[in-house]
Amino acid sequence: PDLYDYNLTVDGVTIHDPGSATPKPQRAVSTSLLLVPGNPLLDDQNVAHGIVHSVTYNSKVTGTPRPLLVYTPPRYERMSDLPVLFLYHGAGDTTWSWVTEGRAAQILDNALDAGTTMPMVVVIPETYPAYSPTGILDRSVEAIVDQELFTDVIPYVERHFNVAREARCRAIAGLSMGGGQTIYSAFTHPTAFAAVDVMSPAYLGDLPTGTDPQLINKSLERLDIVTGSNDFILHALQEPLFAKLTAAGISHSLTLVPGGDHSFFVWRPELRRLVEALTDDHQARRFCRDGRRH
């Protein structure tokens, strides 16, 4: 029981399954998804369900309409000052990747029903600065995505959804390309978030200019990095990043998932662990502990 991706090769061309009702969300679709029921982490269970809102806002940064997905928990209309998690997708993916393949709504619904996480709003932005599948692992791209987060996305969410506005109630996480973008935003604005979770980061170059290790250590309640021991970019991109964090004296935890690769088999369980860790009194000492009314 799990969620698998697969594709077909016809005359040397890789395509998605035209008979499948579930193509994998990709910028160039070539893969389909197959859900084998029986995994309690991923299944639609007989529990109260949240809503995934698909909205469009006009970006001041890019000058274009931009897609945004926002998960709100069950009974959201009765709540206020909710914590908010900004969740970044990876290269080649779309805003729907964390929903369709990542099963983010099911993970949140099931954790809420089990009582292992607090109600929260999850925001999934578009992390390409333009609708192009190339030129993504670049510091200028990270800067544009970061600028859009603070100029457009956070203000839009705070105007339209019942979220807390304090940094202690904000977390940011991302996978692969989105993991690199997460590091850039978290280190460029260390007082804007309480918790950071980086999954299988695709990160090039040095830490952002102006990185202040003391301020990061003081401001962030947690900085967790999780990657698979068989991740194909572990040695080329991730280990140099780990060394830079250690050399700079930036406090962080690092988890290597045995046998894990660069896939949602690592990232889906990590999302569940993250939302539970933000709630656990022993692990989350300060995350949005006061002033939550719901």
Side-chain angles (χ1 to χ4, degrees):
D2 217 310
L3 181 63
Y4 301 90
D5 59 75
Y6 70 101
N7 48 39
L8 308 176
T9 301
V10 181
D11 294 336
V13 178
T14 300
I15 64 170
H16 69 286
D17 182 354
S20 169
T22 314
K24 177 177 177 175
Q26 296 170 291
R27 307 190 89 76
V29 179
S30 63
T31 308
S32 296
L33 298 175
L34 175 65
L35 178 67
V36 179
N39 185 333
L41 176 71
L42 309 179
D43 284 356
D44 280 303
Q45 299 189 40
N46 185 21
V47 301
H49 297 293
I51 297 174
V52 176
H53 308 261
S54 177
V55 301
T56 301
Y57 65 92
N58 294 312
S59 172
K60 297 176 183 176
V61 175
T62 65
T64 61
R66 300 281 275 165
L68 187 69
L69 299 181
V70 182
Y71 166 89
T72 55
R75 296 173 289 278
Y76 160 80
E77 64 279 356
R78 306 176 191 175
M79 304 175 184
S80 63
D81 296 332
L82 286 170
V84 57
L85 168 64
F86 295 91
L87 190 59
Y88 283 2
H89 64 75
D93 293 343
T94 76
T95 51
W96 285 97
S97 296
W98 262 116
V99 174
T100 304
E101 187 175 11
R103 306 289 280 183
Q106 287 83 359
I107 289 171
L108 267 292
D109 289 346
N110 296 336
L112 283 166
D113 184 72
T116 56
T117 190
M118 68 177 81
M120 66 182 69
V121 170
V122 180
V123 178
I124 306 174
E126 171 61 79
T127 57
Y128 279 78
Y131 296 97
S132 168
T134 59
I136 50 175
L137 295 182
D138 182 272
R139 188 51 46 85
S140 64
V141 171
E142 293 171 347
I144 293 170
V145 171
D146 174 74
Q147 185 181 1
E148 191 172 25
L149 175 65
F150 285 91
T151 302
D152 295 314
V153 176
I154 291 177
Y156 181 92
V157 171
E158 290 183 347
R159 284 196 308 269
H160 293 90
F161 292 91
N162 302 335
V163 299
R165 301 192 175 199
E166 301 91 344
R168 62 185 175 81
C169 294
R170 285 194 210 117
I172 185 170
L175 64 86
S176 193
M177 175 188 76
Q181 293 166 339
T182 294
I183 291 171
Y184 184 91
S185 285
F187 288 7
T188 304
H189 308 273
T191 62
F193 305 98
V196 177
D197 194 84
V198 184
M199 308 177 201
S200 310
Y203 191 86
L204 292 173
D206 295 327
L207 300 180
T209 301
T211 294
D212 185 335
Q214 290 186 336
L215 184 58
I216 291 171
N217 292 340
K218 178 181 178 181
S219 301
L220 294 183
E221 177 182 321
R222 58 189 310 117
L223 169 57
D224 297 337
I225 303 174
V226 175
T227 192
S229 64
N230 291 339
D231 194 309
F232 78 101
I233 62 171
L234 175 61
H235 301 303
L237 298 183
Q238 296 169 9
E239 289 179 344
L241 170 64
F242 307 155
K244 290 182 177 71
L245 295 176
T246 301
I250 295 175
S251 300
H252 63 282
S253 71
L254 172 62
T255 301
L256 285 178
V257 179
D261 57 5
H262 199 78
S263 76
F264 273 102
F265 290 115
V266 171
W267 306 325
R268 287 187 294 252
E270 175 56 16
L271 177 60
R272 175 71 178 250
R273 188 208 65 81
L274 169 61
V275 298
E276 292 181 336
L278 293 177
T279 303
D280 187 289
D281 286 331
H282 298 290
Q283 297 188 57
R285 298 177 300 280
R286 303 188 306 274
F287 185 73
C288 216
R289 275 296 179 267
D290 303 317
R292 290 190 290 112
R293 299 183 295 276
H294 48 73

